């Protein structure tokens, strides 16, 4: 297998890992106004992701860095063409991070309500815009012969991409509700379980519509097969949620996200950014890649350091694996 293909697959793995882990982060943030009827409940919800949210964001940093190093043409066209939505995502993530850090700095209710809103919007906006961005990548965008994006911002707000945004929003919110049911006990566990069952009624048809639209448009056999598996995993998540098997439900929503991202990248290959103007203008793993020497060096770096990162992150999840309850939240704390 050529290194260009290897790095295309590795970047797909990085995005899959990011959406798997940050997906429930976003979901918990979106559900914060619903599950947090008082400050103690909101702190309980935030504390479920408190030890891991920043480590989860490392995946998107690595994905962006790997794209820059392995496929500089893809990176340049993507970040110039999608500049405004990516800037909005960046600002939302920064504000969200500030909210986690500063929410507990003052005891005032107004101060905390303000940061709670920041967590909500800082979770909701990226959850939608990531779906819009990847919907556009899969659909194709206007790219000229110089491999430059020649469309405007409103070209990105097409029905297919917006459906992609609703798909990621509904999946991440469901993933977050399932995570809350898995990580808490007592009233919040019960409430999150009921929420997950209701959210599934929205997530299933929205995700099915997006996957069917994608399958009918691209007619890629492997992509369709992975989409079918993603749909089956989502149905499994619904059944596990109704049976109150939180561990299996979380595994199933995670599998849904991983399989959906895999379907996206498999369908996209060998393109990395198709052109809607002329297929000859499309960016591919060949014409957008770095030199073979660069890819070789990157591969050795990845082989040496990726296991260390994975072991460390796995260890953090093991350390903070305990379910939380309202009694674990002190009268005053960091959040």
């Amino acid at each position: 297998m050529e290194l260009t293909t290897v790095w295309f697959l590795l970047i797909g793995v990085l995005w899959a890992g990011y959406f798997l882990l940050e997906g429930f982060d976003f979901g918990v943030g979106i559900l914060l106004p619903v599950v947090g009827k008082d400050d103690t409940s909101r702190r309980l919800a935030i504390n479920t992701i408190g030890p891991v949210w920043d480590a989860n964001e490392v995946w998107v940093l690595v994905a962006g860095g790997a794209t820059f190093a392995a496929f500089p043409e893809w990176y340049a066209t993507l970040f110039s063409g999608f500049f405004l939505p990516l800037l909005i995502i960046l600002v939302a993530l920064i504000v969200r991070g500030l909210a986690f850090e500063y929410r507990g700095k003052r005891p005032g209710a107004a101060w905390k309500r303000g940061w709670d809103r920041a967590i909500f919007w800082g979770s909701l906006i990226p959850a939608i815009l990531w779906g819009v961005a990847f919907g556009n990548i899969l659909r194709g965008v206007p790219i000229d012969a110089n491999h430059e994006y020649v469309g405007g911002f409103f070209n990105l707000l097409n029905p297919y991409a917006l459906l992609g945004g609703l798909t990621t929003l509904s999946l991440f919110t469901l993933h977050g509700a399932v995570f809350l049911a898995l990580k808490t006990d007592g009233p919040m566990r019960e409430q999150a379980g009921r929420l997950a069952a209701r959210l599934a009624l929205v997530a299933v048809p929205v995700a099915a519509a997006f996957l069917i639209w994608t399958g009918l448009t691209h007619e890629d056999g492997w992509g369709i097969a992975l989409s079918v598996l993603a749909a089956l995993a989502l149905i499994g998540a619904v059944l596990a949620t109704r049976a109150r098997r939180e561990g299996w439900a979380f595994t199933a929503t995670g599998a849904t996200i991983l399989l959906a991202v895999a379907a996206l990248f498999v369908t996209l290959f060998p393109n990395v950014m198709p052109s809607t103007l002329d297929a000859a203008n499309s960016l591919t793993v060949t014409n957008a890649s770095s030199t073979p020497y660069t890819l070789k060096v990157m591969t050795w770096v990845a082989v040496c350091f990726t296991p260390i990162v994975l072991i460390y992150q796995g260890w953090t999840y093991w350390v903070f694996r305990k379910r939380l309850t309202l009694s674990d939240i002190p009268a005053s704390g960091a959040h």
Side-chain angles (χ1 to χ4, degrees), residues 34-235:
V34 181
V35 298
K37 294 181 179 178
D38 52 41
D39 183 59
T40 305
S41 298
R42 287 190 287 274
R43 288 168 57 200
L44 173 60
I46 292 171
N47 283 1
T48 61
I49 58 174
V52 296
W53 71 268
D54 47 358
N56 294 343
E57 292 189 352
V58 170
W59 288 75
V60 72
L61 297 176
V62 178
T67 305
F68 171 76
F71 300 102
E73 285 272 6
W74 183 13
Y75 182 92
T77 304
L78 177 66
F79 278 76
S80 60
F82 292 12
F83 177 76
L84 184 56
L86 292 178
L87 177 63
I88 294 172
I89 289 173
L90 178 62
V91 172
L93 292 178
I94 291 173
V95 171
R96 181 171 176 268
L98 289 173
F100 286 132
E101 298 297 332
Y102 281 87
R103 185 184 186 278
K105 299 296 183 185
R106 291 184 182 179
W111 172 268
K112 293 184 177 181
R113 279 198 302 273
W115 288 119
D116 287 343
R117 293 190 191 100
I119 292 173
F120 171 76
W121 289 108
S123 303
L124 180 78
I125 291 172
I128 297 174
L129 290 184
W130 280 129
V132 172
F134 275 88
N136 276 296
I137 292 173
L138 193 57
R139 173 181 175 270
V141 291
I143 299 174
D144 66 12
N146 295 319
H147 293 165
E148 294 180 357
Y149 177 77
V150 292
F153 173 73
F154 291 102
N155 288 91
L156 304 177
L157 303 180
N158 55 79
Y160 178 76
L162 292 175
L163 181 59
L166 290 177
T167 301
T168 50
L169 173 64
S170 59
L171 282 179
F172 292 166
T173 309
L174 173 62
H175 198 37
V178 172
F179 179 76
L180 272 178
L182 177 67
K183 280 292 294 178
T184 60
D185 210 345
M188 184 166 289
R189 181 184 180 184
E190 300 295 325
Q191 184 184 14
R194 291 193 297 271
L195 274 173
R198 294 172 187 167
L199 288 167
L201 299 176
V202 178
V204 170
V206 171
F210 181 75
L211 293 175
I212 290 171
W213 192 341
T214 302
L216 293 175
T217 303
H218 294 277
E219 298 181 345
D220 182 275
W222 282 106
I224 292 173
L226 289 167
S227 297
V228 170
L229 291 176
L232 292 175
L234 185 56
I235 293 172

